[in-house]
Amino acid sequence: MEKNFNVWLIRPEKKIRTRTPIGDESSYNVCLAKNATEPFQVVFLAKESDQKGISIEVENDHQDQFEVEVLREHYVSCEGMLWPDPVVPNEYDFDLKKGVNLTYLINVSTKTETVAGNYTAKIIVRQNGEIFGEYPIYVTVWNFALDDTKYMETAFGTQISRIKAHQKSDDYEALYKKYYDTLLDRYHICAYDLPYDILDPRADAYMSDPRVKSFKIPYWGGETDKVVKYYEKLKTNPEWLKKAYFYVVDEPQVMADYDRIKDAYEKLQKVYPNAPMVSPFYMDPRDGNGVRAVELLQKYCSVWSPKISLFKDDWYTEFMRKRNEAGDRIWWYYCWEPPLPYANVFIDMECFYHRVLTWQQYLHGINGMLYWSTTYWEYGNPWEETSTVPYLSPYCFGDGSLFYPGDRIGIDGPVGSLRLEILRSAIEDYQMFQLAAEAFGREYVDEKIASITPKVYIYDDVQWHMNIIRKEIGDKLSEYYSNK
């Protein structure tokens, strides 16, 4: 068959836009641990004319060892510029327009029982039913497994009110549960709010699930009667108590905000001893006469969440290290800022910056990650409106919006994003770093990470070097476990 279009296999850290120049790599090497998922991309480009009736499938003779998932990347507009973000199941043949890229995300997923070694699968592309080309996937499974009960702590907002505004359902409790479960099961992420109220017996299974590292206790700084009931239940299980937190004041900016934090803490202490409070922050109080935010917060907060840009100053890293040694939980967060050169999860930002977030997090000794919302669809449906916080910046795309309402494409639940897919890989990288530090020492891992990102605002300009470093760590760790 005449080759009327190109097929290109490429790493996942680069976003393929509709006019991104493509290469000619016709195979791909995937390296991953057991019980892990690692993606790559397949790009199609018609050369001289539109092409119709194209399909992509995977031939895998090792389905007992690993699975291969095919997702199509859809494009959304960021002020007229198209970027890939929603990822949807591959169900239909597709057509190509001349000169316009079309991209698929391919996920390779192993099991805990997968046998370490080298495997081969292949992508088969057809046009009008005839084989157009076959493209090998070389899969290396390292001889160590990730433990889905030991992933880092996460706390991501998922507001049912926004879901209700943009996704029709006959049962919104069940729909919210699908959003929660998708975050947990697919992406290793815990939403702020459990699918059920803490007092509901159905919440017990979630609170006892070792994968659930955190959940928010509902409280808005007012009545504490319900908090008494929450505490009475939670204290029956020490593991539940460890996971719970209060989130009363967000981003304090003036001393009056710290007075609110103090007031909430004092009220809670009377009914919930040692109440674990978090208050994400990014600045010292404007009217604090030089007092630092950390000096105020350490009186009340045992769950820390500074904005990642604060770690431009080395003393923040040292301060948080000491708080961690004192037994506090240390998270960090990002939102509509910071922009580049800091990493974030904006739609119009390369996937490299989504994945490097946890590399920087590990380097700075941070235990967890907080993100304010996955469903902030206040100003329109995210399939059409990606400028989610226009009151802050009209050019901030996808902030607080990591999901898409699925009913647009006939799904009774959420549609994931390219950003969430990469965040999953980033979270899995973090656990690999922990395993490597246990085997070879923290200094070894820090040195490897620093070769890619020594500071939160400095990166290796050749971003595919990330894959090289990741493979070096994985290969060394696999050899270590093989010889153990």
Side-chain angles (χ1 to χ4, degrees), residues 1-10 16 18 20-27 41-51 54-56 94-104 123 125-127 132-135:
M1 178 182 294
E2 182 181 355
K3 301 298 183 183
N4 293 320
F5 56 90
N6 292 343
V7 180
W8 180 35
L9 281 63
I10 182 177
I16 307 301
T18 55
T20 298
I22 74 169
D24 58 1
E25 288 82 2
S26 58
S27 64
Q41 299 177 103
V42 180
V43 190
F44 296 85
L45 176 63
K47 298 178 182 178
E48 299 177 354
S49 62
D50 294 353
Q51 298 295 311
I54 304 166
S55 66
I56 177 174
F94 58 92
D95 302 330
L96 296 174
K97 292 184 178 181
K98 176 185 174 183
V100 179
N101 294 327
L102 189 148
T103 306
Y104 280 81
I123 292 171
V125 175
R126 288 185 168 86
Q127 185 172 23
F132 174 90
E134 298 182 352
Y135 306 89

Side-chain angles (χ1 to χ4, degrees), residues 69 81 108 148 177 209 343 366 399 404 420 448 463 477:
E69 178 187 40
M81 306 292 287
V108 178
D148 56 8
K177 184 178 184 299
D209 190 329
I366 309 301
D399 178 43
Y404 292 80
L420 277 172
K448 289 295 184 182
Q463 294 174 3
L477 198 53

Side-chain angles (χ1 to χ4, degrees), residues 182-469:
T182 298
L183 277 178
L184 181 64
D185 297 340
R186 185 175 179 88
Y187 298 118
H188 317 312
I189 291 172
C190 296
Y192 291 168
D193 301 302
L194 295 168
Y196 309 107
D197 185 81
I198 291 170
L199 300 179
D200 190 320
R202 293 176 296 175
D204 296 7
Y206 281 96
M207 294 190 295
S208 297
D209 190 329
R211 299 174 304 157
V212 175
K213 303 297 183 183
S214 71
F215 57 86
K216 187 178 73 175
I217 302 173
Y219 178 70
W220 293 272
E223 295 296 326
T224 56
D225 291 350
K226 192 93 176 266
V227 176
V228 173
K229 296 178 181 178
Y230 288 145
Y231 181 68
E232 288 301 313
K233 178 174 181 177
L234 293 175
K235 73 177 184 179
T236 64
N237 188 321
E239 290 302 314
W240 294 353
L241 274 178
K242 289 179 184 178
K243 299 176 182 183
Y245 63 91
F246 293 93
Y247 188 164
V248 182
V249 178
D250 185 53
E251 295 188 324
Q253 300 178 38
V254 295
M255 290 302 296
D257 295 329
Y258 289 92
D259 290 340
R260 291 168 55 212
I261 293 172
K262 177 184 177 182
D263 180 66
Y265 179 79
E266 291 178 345
K267 287 181 179 177
L268 288 171
Q269 278 295 100
K270 296 175 182 178
V271 297
Y272 196 116
N274 301 312
M277 290 178 55
V278 61
S279 181
F281 68 100
Y282 68 98
M283 62 180 293
D284 295 330
R286 294 193 185 99
D287 55 351
N289 297 318
V291 66
R292 286 176 166 169
V294 293
E295 296 171 13
L296 298 168
L297 290 171
Q298 68 180 339
K299 300 175 184 178
Y300 313 114
C301 293
S302 60
V303 185
W304 290 87
S305 187
K307 188 173 287 186
I308 62 175
S309 51
L310 293 178
F311 288 84
K312 67 182 184 298
D313 299 322
D314 291 340
W315 75 266
Y316 257 98
T317 301
E318 181 62 18
F319 179 90
M320 292 302 159
R321 183 186 66 79
K322 291 180 178 178
R323 295 314 309 165
N324 192 13
E325 291 176 351
D328 290 351
R329 297 155 76 179
I330 313 298
W331 301 343
W332 69 3
Y333 83 106
Y334 44 95
C335 51
W336 77 280
E337 59 175 15
L340 288 173
Y342 298 98
N344 210 311
V345 290
F346 303 132
I347 293 173
D348 58 339
M349 180 180 274
E350 294 289 0
C351 285
F352 167 85
Y353 295 103
H354 314 332
R355 189 161 193 169
V356 82
L357 276 165
T358 61
W359 293 47
Q360 295 176 338
Q361 183 181 321
Y362 187 87
L363 185 66
H364 288 82
I366 309 301
N367 310 131
M369 180 186 298
L370 181 146
Y371 190 68
W372 69 287
S373 179
T374 58
T375 57
Y376 189 70
W377 306 327
E378 182 73 13
Y379 294 90
N381 191 299
W383 291 96
E384 290 99 24
E385 184 53 71
T386 58
S387 177
T388 48
V389 287
Y391 53 92
L392 295 171
S393 170
Y395 305 107
C396 184
F397 302 110
D399 178 43
S401 176
L402 299 176
F403 275 131
Y404 292 80
D407 57 356
R408 174 62 59 90
I409 58 170
I411 293 177
D412 183 25
V415 168
S417 63
L418 187 55
R419 292 169 292 154
L420 277 172
E421 297 290 319
I422 299 302
L423 277 176
R424 175 186 55 219
S425 297
I427 291 169
E428 292 183 355
D429 288 346
Y430 189 97
Q431 189 175 131
M432 184 176 72
F433 298 150
Q434 292 177 312
L435 292 173
E438 292 172 6
F440 315 122
R442 177 72 192 241
E443 186 176 340
Y444 165 80
V445 180
D446 286 353
E447 181 180 337
K448 289 295 184 182
I449 294 175
S451 70
I452 299 299
T453 177
K455 299 284 187 180
V456 290
Y457 54 86
I458 298 175
Y459 312 92
D460 183 337
D461 289 334
V462 184
Q463 294 174 3
W464 54 265
H465 285 172
M466 170 183 275
N467 278 340
I468 294 176
I469 296 301

